[in-house]
């Protein structure tokens, strides 16, 4: 059907279907528009299990067709790692300057014991525990300057470190998911529809993250048993409070090699723990949504409330994005389960074809 759209004729349904297939086959669109558009398709077809499966399959094909470490992602990791390292070293130098003279002045002359809490390596490790939000607590600034510096340092540094950590964990998690998927491909294809699905709680991702986090806790325990001479329970306990960012501070690494290992351990596995907790949160969210719907009363009342919310969001999108918001709304109205089934059958064969043929 034709209609008026910003003074121009609206493409027919067939043209829209063709454009959608071309858009979703292009790598740059997949990374910018495709994901948002497919998520909109999912949201508008919550009651259609066939569309949900088709969207999950599309996500799996899209993720599998992209390289594990895209060039842009590699640049982001490299640059954010350099910035985070410089920032941690800067924080360590500042805390060494603020706290070390006070520590030297407090050394017991009778014994001459130097606790060494604010030597350069220790100060840098403290700066890392600040930006990673672990904050063990065994070491804390005591001077007015050190305490005053902590507030702006943490406000700026926590987002910097989280940006770096999120990019590293996304690559690590994707590598484990693809490796597991390749192994399962030898026996079944049932897992493909849930490998990269985003529909609420993802059992496949939760299982992967559980195994990954458990392996990380076990590996960390073995490492810290040998480096700190802790028993297994103490090492496991320290590993968990570290990657979960609880950081009580009753057990901390005391040697420079152990602290270096702790830095690597935080980078590799703190993101895994965060992802696992996120999946658990999604599971709880689904249960809470069910309780909220019960609180509304009947199912029809809940659906009407949800429809009103979506209408309000749509009006805001139109006001903010103008014709783009209207275009998305128009495209959504023409997407059907038949089209999604077509994506499911044809997309895996057409991705490379369109990618090579479109300039």
């Amino acid at each position: 059907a034709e209609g008026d759209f910003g003074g121009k004729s609206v493409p027919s349904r067939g043209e829209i279907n063709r454009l959608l297939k071309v858009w979703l086959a292009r790598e740059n669109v997949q990374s910018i528009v495709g994901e948002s558009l497919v998520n909109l398709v999912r949201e508008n077809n919550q009651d259609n299990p066939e569309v949900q499966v088709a969207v999950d399959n599309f996500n799996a094909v899209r993720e599998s067709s992209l390289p594990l470490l895209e060039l842009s992602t590699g640049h982001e990791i490299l640059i954010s790692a350099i910035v985070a390292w410089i920032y941690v070293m800067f924080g360590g130098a500042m805390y060494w300057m603020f706290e070390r003279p006070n520590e030297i002045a407090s050394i017991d002359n009778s014994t001459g014991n130097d606790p060494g809490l604010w030597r350069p390596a220790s100060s840098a490790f403290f700066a890392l525990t600040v930006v990673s939000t672990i904050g063990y607590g065994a070491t804390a600034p005591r001077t007015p300057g050190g305490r005053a510096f902590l507030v702006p340092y943490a406000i700026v540094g926590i987002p910097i470190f989280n940006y770096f950590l999120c990019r590293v964990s996304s690559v690590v998690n994707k590598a484990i998911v693809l490796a597991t998927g390749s192994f399962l491909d030898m026996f079944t294809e049932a897992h493909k529809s849930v490998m990269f699905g985003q529909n609420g709680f993802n059992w496949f991702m939760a299982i992967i993250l559980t195994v990954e986090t458990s392996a990380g806790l076990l590996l960390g325990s073995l490492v810290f048993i040998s480096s700190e001479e802790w028993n297994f329970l103490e090492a496991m306990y320290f590993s968990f409070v570290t990657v979960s960012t609880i950081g009580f501070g009753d057990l901390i690494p005391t040697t420079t090699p152990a602290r270096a290992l702790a830095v690597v351990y935080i980078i590799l596995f703190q993101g895994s723990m965060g992802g696992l907790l996120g999946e658990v949160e999604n599971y709880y969210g689904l249960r809470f949504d069910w309780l909220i719907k019960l609180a509304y009363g009947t199912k029809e009342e809940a659906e009407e409330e949800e429809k009103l919310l979506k209408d309000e969001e749509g009006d805001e999108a139109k006001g903010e994005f103008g014709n783009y918001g209207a275009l998305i709304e128009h495209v959504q109205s023409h997407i059907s389960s038949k089209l999604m089934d077509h994506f499911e059958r044809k997309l895996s064969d057409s991705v490379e074809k369109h990618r090579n043929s479109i300039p």
Side-chain angles (χ1 to χ4, degrees), residues 33-44:
V33 179
E35 183 176 359
S36 300
L37 186 59
V38 171
N39 287 337
L40 288 173
V41 173
R42 183 196 293 281
E43 292 175 6
N44 280 0

Side-chain angles (χ1 to χ4, degrees), residues 115-153:
L117 297 177
W118 296 107
R119 290 173 179 169
S122 303
S123 299
F125 186 72
F126 170 77
L128 175 68
T129 64
V130 171
V131 297
S132 64
T133 71
I134 295 174
Y136 288 119
T139 305
R142 296 181 179 275
T143 63
R147 289 172 175 172
F149 177 71
L150 177 67
V151 176
Y153 182 76

Side-chain angles (χ1 to χ4, degrees), residues 313-327:
E313 293 172 357
D315 292 339
E316 292 176 2
K318 281 189 233 179
E320 183 175 357
F321 299 109
N323 286 346
Y324 178 76
L327 174 61

Side-chain angles (χ1 to χ4, degrees), residues 7-216:
K8 299 181 180 180
S9 61
V10 175
S12 66
R13 178 170 178 173
E15 291 173 331
I16 290 175
N17 292 353
R18 181 181 60 80
L19 287 173
L20 281 174
K21 288 187 291 183
V22 173
W23 286 349
L24 295 177
R26 298 188 64 173
E27 184 173 343
N28 61 333
V29 175
Q30 288 173 13
S31 61
I32 300 174
V33 179
E35 183 176 359
S36 300
L37 186 59
V38 171
N39 287 337
L40 288 173
V41 173
R42 183 196 293 281
E43 292 175 6
N44 280 0
N45 294 273
Q46 292 289 339
D47 297 330
N48 190 329
E50 293 183 358
V51 173
Q52 300 300 314
V53 171
V55 171
D56 288 336
N57 286 341
F58 169 79
N59 285 334
V61 171
R62 177 171 58 87
E63 291 288 343
S64 300
S65 65
L66 296 175
L68 175 62
L69 183 61
E70 296 181 80
L71 184 60
S72 59
T73 304
H75 289 164
E76 290 175 354
I77 292 176
L78 177 61
I79 294 173
S80 61
I82 294 173
V83 172
W85 181 81
I86 293 174
Y87 195 77
V88 168
M89 293 300 104
F90 164 70
M94 292 297 293
Y95 276 106
W96 174 77
M97 182 181 68
F98 281 125
E99 302 296 329
R100 182 59 177 167
N102 184 62
E103 184 179 46
I104 293 175
S106 63
I107 293 176
D108 188 349
N109 293 328
S110 61
T111 62
N113 290 333
D114 182 359
L117 297 177
W118 296 107
R119 290 173 179 169
S122 303
S123 299
F125 186 72
F126 170 77
L128 175 68
T129 64
V130 171
V131 297
S132 64
T133 71
I134 295 174
Y136 288 119
T139 305
R142 296 181 179 275
T143 63
R147 289 172 175 172
F149 177 71
L150 177 67
V151 176
Y153 182 76
I155 291 174
V156 175
I158 290 173
I160 290 175
F161 188 77
N162 280 345
Y163 182 90
F164 164 65
L165 196 66
C166 287
R167 269 107 193 119
V168 173
S169 61
S170 66
V171 173
V172 172
N173 291 342
K174 182 177 179 180
I176 295 176
V177 168
L178 291 177
T180 305
S182 299
F183 174 75
L184 294 176
D185 284 343
M186 296 186 293
F187 309 99
T188 179
E189 294 187 355
H191 60 285
K192 286 187 176 296
S193 63
V194 295
M195 281 179 62
F196 297 98
Q198 301 293 327
N199 189 23
F201 179 66
N202 189 330
W203 284 102
F204 186 85
M205 184 61 73
I207 293 173
I208 293 297
L209 289 172
T210 299
V211 174
E212 180 183 347
T213 304
S214 300

Side-chain angles (χ1 to χ4, degrees), residues 220-231 234-235 238 251-262:
S221 300
L222 297 176
V223 169
F224 293 116
I225 284 174
S226 60
S227 63
E228 288 293 320
E229 297 183 352
W230 293 332
N231 60 44
E234 290 173 333
F238 169 78
L251 291 175
I252 59 171
T254 56
T255 64
T256 299
R259 286 170 179 162
L261 291 171

